[in-house]
């Protein structure tokens, strides 16, 4: 959501896919869409910018042509709705969705500021404290294009070990991103999760894929996009913000800690929570993330 080009200017050949998208959006929204422009693709979906006749701008994700119907985008929409039920939630609102498309408001992105970071920390704490009925969720799980097991569980250590770490560890080894020897090192972490998890906490309402790219900054606040929403451990969202270098992270964390103090020893568990998204990255992008993943595993054990 960093630039907007409505497309379709005079003398420019009309993209038939964009024209079809404008018609689809008009039917879905019940409001006339003046134009839609394809802006690229990611995984199994295409990105569009759209504009209503009143000038309202929209951001659209649609399953690509030829891709079978999948719950990946409807799950994203359901997750955003669920996160947004928490008072003051920073999750972006959903304009509309169906089995192949999700429509979001257009956001004019700004440079992050300390004030916006503090706001994000407070609102993220409130979203987490809204809680969940269990660890997991009542809808299918995805992180990016990859399915995850959201079967509800009452026990976070077993949920994290068996429904997050172990499946992606197996996949990473099977695909060759990690060697069998690497796998044995990480398996030690998986087996030790009950001992490494810290004091039990109730299920938090977590974003689940909260890296820097899923935070869109505005003038005095921010919105969160592209969740893998579920009932999880609140330290996981904060650990992932740290993984890829969120601007003003200290301000976010300090404001969060004032609103919802973190449990003793949280710093020692950052690597444990980062291991899951790193394994996902190995599955998606291969051995480029091998070294960082092994470093996280060793740090978690230490």
């Amino acid at each position: 959501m960093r630039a907007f080009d409505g497309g379709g200017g005079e003398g420019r050949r009309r993209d038939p896919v964009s024209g079809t998208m404008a018609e689809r959006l008009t039917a879905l929204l019940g409001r006339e869409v003046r134009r839609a422009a394809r802006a690229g693709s990611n995984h199994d979906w295409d990105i569009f910018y759209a504009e209503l006749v009143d000038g309202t701008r929209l951001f659209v994700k649609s399953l690509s042509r030829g891709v079978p119907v999948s719950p990946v985008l409807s799950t994203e929409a359901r997750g955003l709705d669920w996160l947004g039920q928490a008072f003051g939630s920073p999750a972006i609102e959903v304009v509309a969705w169906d089995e192949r498309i999700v429509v979001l408001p257009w956001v004019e992105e700004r440079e992050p500021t300390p004030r916006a970071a503090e706001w994000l920390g407070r609102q993220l704490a409130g979203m987490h404290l809204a809680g969940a009925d269990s660890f997991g969720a009542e809808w299918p799980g995805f992180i990016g294009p990859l399915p995850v097991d959201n079967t509800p569980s009452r026990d976070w250590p077993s949920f994290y070990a068996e429904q997050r770490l172990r499946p992606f560890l197996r996949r990473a080894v099977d695909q060759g991103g990690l060697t069998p020897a690497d796998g044995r090192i990480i398996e030690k972490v998986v087996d030790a999760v009950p001992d490494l998890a810290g004091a039990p906490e109730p299920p938090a309402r977590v974003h689940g894929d909260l890296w820097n790219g899923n935070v869109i900054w505005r003038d005095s606040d921010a919105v969160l996009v592209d969740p893998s929403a579920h009932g999880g451990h609140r330290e996981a969202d904060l650990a992932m913000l740290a993984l890829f270098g969120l601007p003003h992270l200290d301000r976010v964390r300090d404001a969060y800690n004032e609103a919802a103090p973190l449990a003793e020893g949280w710093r020692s568990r950052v690597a444990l929570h980062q291991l899951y998204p790193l394994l996902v990255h190995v599955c998606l992008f291969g051995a480029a993330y091998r070294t960082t993943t092994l470093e996280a595993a060793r740090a978690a054990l230490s």
Side-chain angles (χ1 to χ4, degrees):
M1 298 189 186
R2 290 167 174 81
F4 187 94
D5 178 5
E10 290 187 15
R12 187 180 303 175
R13 180 182 299 174
R14 188 181 185 193
D15 175 4
V17 175
S18 296
T20 301
M21 176 55 65
E23 295 169 1
R24 288 179 60 196
L25 289 172
T26 295
L28 178 64
L29 300 173
R31 302 169 67 188
E32 185 177 351
V33 175
R34 176 164 57 192
R35 55 186 177 177
R38 186 165 48 179
S41 61
N42 189 19
H43 303 303
D44 290 335
W45 48 86
D46 295 324
I47 306 298
F48 292 83
Y49 305 144
E51 185 175 327
L52 303 181
V53 293
D54 65 3
T56 301
R57 293 174 171 183
L58 302 171
F59 178 87
V60 182
K61 294 168 70 173
S62 175
L63 290 178
S64 302
R65 281 186 170 186
V67 173
V69 172
S70 161
V72 62
L73 295 184
S74 58
T75 292
E76 175 183 334
R78 292 180 66 182
L80 285 170
D81 274 346
W82 181 68
L83 295 175
Q85 291 169 19
F87 179 76
S89 169
I92 197 168
E93 65 179 300
V94 179
V95 176
W97 60 277
D98 64 19
E99 62 183 3
R100 295 191 66 90
I101 194 169
V102 59
V103 185
L104 306 174
W106 177 261
V107 179
E108 292 287 351
E109 189 169 13
R110 306 300 186 196
E111 288 298 317
T113 65
R115 177 186 176 191
E118 291 167 2
W119 180 93
L120 177 59
R122 291 189 296 270
Q123 305 313 116
L124 186 61
M127 186 181 82
H128 286 169
L129 292 179
D133 292 335
S134 62
F135 297 104
E138 299 294 338
W139 48 81
F142 289 89
I143 185 162
L146 301 180
V148 294
D149 182 0
N150 267 352
T151 303
S153 172
R154 294 290 175 185
D155 173 51
W156 183 78
S158 61
F159 171 80
Y160 189 58
E162 303 303 329
Q163 294 173 232
R164 291 298 185 263
L165 294 181
R166 205 179 301 276
F168 283 96
L169 173 57
R170 290 173 181 151
R171 182 170 185 152
V173 172
D174 290 345
Q175 293 179 178
L178 297 175
T179 68
D182 299 335
R184 288 190 289 273
I185 294 171
I186 298 171
E187 193 80 33
K188 294 178 182 178
V189 182
V190 180
D191 293 339
V193 169
D195 298 322
L196 301 174
E201 290 208 2
R205 190 167 301 216
V206 301
H207 179 282
D209 191 10
L210 197 52
W211 70 288
N212 179 35
N214 285 341
V215 179
I216 302 178
W217 298 98
R218 302 191 294 196
D219 287 329
S220 58
D221 60 11
V223 291
L224 309 182
V225 299
D226 295 345
S228 178
H230 64 281
H233 200 301
R234 63 197 183 109
E235 291 176 6
D237 275 350
L238 293 170
M240 196 163 182
L241 285 175
L243 184 57
F244 298 113
L246 183 80
H248 307 297
L249 177 61
D250 288 345
R251 294 290 189 105
V252 173
R253 203 157 43 201
D254 289 349
Y256 183 103
N257 216 14
E258 289 177 6
L262 292 163
E264 182 179 355
W266 67 267
R267 291 182 186 275
S268 68
R269 293 186 290 274
V270 170
L272 175 66
H273 291 291
Q274 289 178 341
L275 188 56
Y276 164 57
L278 285 169
L279 285 170
V280 170
H281 274 67
V282 174
C283 293
L284 287 172
F285 306 113
Y289 285 90
R290 171 181 175 268
T291 299
T292 307
T293 303
L294 290 172
E295 288 172 350
R298 294 185 176 105
L301 289 171
S302 67

